Amino acid sequence: MKKLMAGLWRRISGPVQWRLLYLSQAKFVVGVTGVVRDLDGNVLLLRHRFWPEGRQWGLPTGGAKRGETFEQTVFREVMEETGLEVKVGEVVRVGSGFRLRVEIAYAARYVGGGTLRLNSLEILEARWCAPDDLPEGLLESHRLLIESSLP
């Protein structure tokens, strides 16, 4: 039976193989986070409107869109939430998140470009913080990302 299955699999075309794999696998949402630092090493933190009271501070984050690279997601999310342009660097962390969510975080650098303009629907406040002076209410997972990505 195994030989028959393997032979059948090799005979079908690549697009059909991919469709079958797609239909048979779990679907995930990919959450992408940017650990954005300025030239002095300060971290960009945002107070998010829709996050739970007492835990509203965090890094720029959002969901990857279909056809978008994760680096493009970081760039887009920072731009949408703050109006700032960033240069996306290396991966800081990849992990599983809540239920069917994959989490990926990138280091990013603000080197100028764009004007700070908050998306008032999503973001209440933005602040550049020294890594040793982070605000109360910062998500613990984001605190760990900041610590693990120190230069």
Side-chain angles (χ1 to χ4, degrees), residues 3-141:
K3 283 186 175 184
L4 177 65
M5 293 296 292
L8 181 60
W9 183 255
R10 284 192 291 267
R11 284 188 183 92
I12 61 177
S13 67
V16 173
Q17 288 174 335
W18 280 108
R19 176 55 79 186
L20 291 172
L21 286 171
Y22 176 81
L23 293 172
S24 68
Q25 301 299 310
K27 310 305 178 273
F28 294 90
V29 172
V30 179
V32 183
T33 300
V35 184
V36 179
R37 295 182 189 278
D38 65 11
L39 295 175
D40 296 323
N42 297 311
V43 180
L44 177 63
L45 294 176
L46 307 175
R47 193 160 61 95
H48 297 262
R49 180 179 303 277
F50 299 110
W51 291 12
E53 270 309 310
R55 294 184 302 156
Q56 290 182 291
W57 282 101
L59 298 161
T61 187
K65 293 183 177 180
R66 186 181 303 251
E68 182 175 65
T69 68
F70 301 145
E71 295 89 347
Q72 289 169 333
T73 302
V74 171
F75 184 88
R76 177 183 51 76
E77 283 294 333
V78 173
M79 176 62 79
E80 285 178 4
E81 293 176 349
T82 68
L84 300 177
E85 296 178 16
V86 296
K87 180 177 182 195
V88 180
E90 70 280 354
V91 172
V92 173
R93 182 178 183 280
V94 175
S96 61
F98 181 69
R99 294 189 181 157
L100 292 178
R101 185 170 165 107
V102 174
E103 302 284 343
I104 185 162
Y106 281 85
R109 178 75 61 188
Y110 173 67
V111 292
T115 303
L116 184 61
R117 182 185 76 267
L118 300 183
N119 175 342
S120 62
L121 175 64
E122 294 182 54
I123 306 301
L124 296 167
E125 184 179 351
R127 192 187 292 177
W128 290 100
C129 298
D132 61 350
D133 188 27
L134 302 173
E136 291 294 319
L138 176 64
L139 287 178
E140 186 60 23
S141 60

